[in-house]
Amino acid sequence: MMTKKTKWIIRICYGLGLLYIALFVHQPYHFLLLNTFLAYIPIEIAFHISPKYPRNTLLFWLGIVLWLLFYPNAPYLLTDLFHLSLLHPYADTGLIRLSVSMWIYFIYMLLAVIPSVLLAMWSMMQVTKSIVRRYNMHKRFAEISIVLIFTTLSSIGIFIGRFLRLHTIYLLISPEWVLKPIFNMWSWQMLAFVCLMTLLQGVIYVVLRVIKNTKSSRR
């Protein structure tokens, strides 16, 4: 269980981080401001979901649907790592350049990606646990099934964001404009991408579960 103090520390860190990006991170990496903000939203939503809260069943599921709509924005940040190529990291010799400004932007990218992906995985654990415990499901089977559904849907969302260039917010403000390209996007290459991203998320999730279970066994 994450404490209120920890939640506020995370909020403050993201607030300061977003302010820093807005003031000091310049093109072509200013996209980090919007992408990091969108990645934080499912983390914040998960702060308000637990097995017993919200008490109202409709509000509980509305919160989960809203979380799921924004969750893909966090693992989507992993695909932003391709933008590191804009730094032209290799010198004419074929070796990586020792440029302070280049390594600063490298750190900017990782500071946005790593905490967001790990905290988003925590949010998926929190949402999954809340569903399983609220409805007294068979813990192991239900958890695996729900995580597989979430990661698969998330991978589809990542494809939509990366290749169709559609943000989650478009689904809320202009769904009719979004639906047509989504219906036309299905192909073997698209499905292969979804499988790969599902595998990646699944591995990260399993690693975090192992770390969590190891800590629990030591208590």
Side-chain angles (χ1 to χ4, degrees):
M1 179 68 70
M2 188 178 290
T3 65
K4 289 184 177 180
K5 179 180 178 181
T6 302
K7 292 176 183 178
W8 276 107
I9 290 173
I10 292 171
R11 288 173 178 137
I12 292 169
C13 288
Y14 265 92
L16 293 175
L18 290 170
L19 180 62
Y20 185 89
I21 293 172
L23 294 176
F24 300 108
V25 177
H26 306 295
Q27 294 292 4
Y29 288 95
H30 205 61
F31 65 84
L32 281 174
L33 180 62
L34 176 60
N35 289 2
T36 305
F37 173 72
L38 291 174
Y40 172 72
I41 293 176
I43 299 167
E44 178 62 38
I45 293 172
F47 287 163
H48 305 278
I49 296 176
S50 70
K52 296 182 179 180
Y53 186 84
R55 295 185 182 278
N56 183 279
T57 301
L58 179 60
L59 291 178
F60 177 79
W61 283 104
L62 283 175
I64 290 175
V65 169
L66 190 62
W67 170 85
L68 184 58
L69 284 174
F70 282 96
Y71 170 76
N73 291 295
Y76 174 89
L77 283 175
L78 291 167
T79 68
D80 278 340
L81 292 175
F82 278 106
H83 293 310
L84 288 170
S85 62
L86 298 173
L87 296 172
H88 305 291
Y90 293 99
D92 294 336
T93 60
L95 299 176
I96 293 180
R97 296 188 296 118
L98 182 57
S99 166
V100 174
S101 61
M102 183 188 79
W103 286 100
I104 287 174
Y105 274 88
F106 172 78
I107 296 300
Y108 287 162
M109 288 286 291
L110 292 187
L111 287 177
V113 172
I114 294 175
S116 296
V117 171
L118 294 180
L119 286 170
M121 287 292 167
W122 168 85
S123 78
M124 183 161 62
M125 289 182 186
Q126 178 67 14
V127 171
T128 301
K129 178 184 69 176
S130 297
I131 296 172
V132 171
R133 291 186 178 179
R134 188 178 181 106
Y135 293 99
N136 297 314
M137 298 177 177
H138 184 277
K139 185 177 180 181
R140 188 171 297 278
F141 175 78
E143 180 181 334
I144 293 172
S145 300
I146 293 170
V147 168
L148 182 59
I149 292 170
F150 284 160
T151 52
T152 301
L153 292 176
S154 171
S155 297
I156 295 172
I158 295 169
F159 181 91
I160 292 171
R162 176 49 64 196
F163 296 102
L164 303 185
R165 306 303 298 158
L166 299 175
H167 284 294
T168 305
I169 197 69
Y170 296 154
L171 287 171
L172 302 178
I173 63 176
S174 186
E176 69 285 350
W177 179 69
V178 171
L179 291 178
K180 185 176 180 179
I182 290 178
F183 286 139
N184 295 331
M185 72 183 183
W186 303 90
S187 68
W188 287 112
Q189 285 185 316
M190 177 268 183
L191 293 175
F193 176 87
V194 168
C195 289
L196 289 171
M197 292 305 298
T198 301
L199 175 63
L200 177 60
Q201 293 180 78
V203 169
I204 296 172
Y205 182 86
V206 169
V207 170
L208 290 179
R209 289 291 300 175
V210 169
I211 293 172
K212 183 175 183 295
N213 291 339
T214 302
K215 287 184 177 180
S216 298
S217 64
R218 289 178 178 176
R219 293 176 182 174

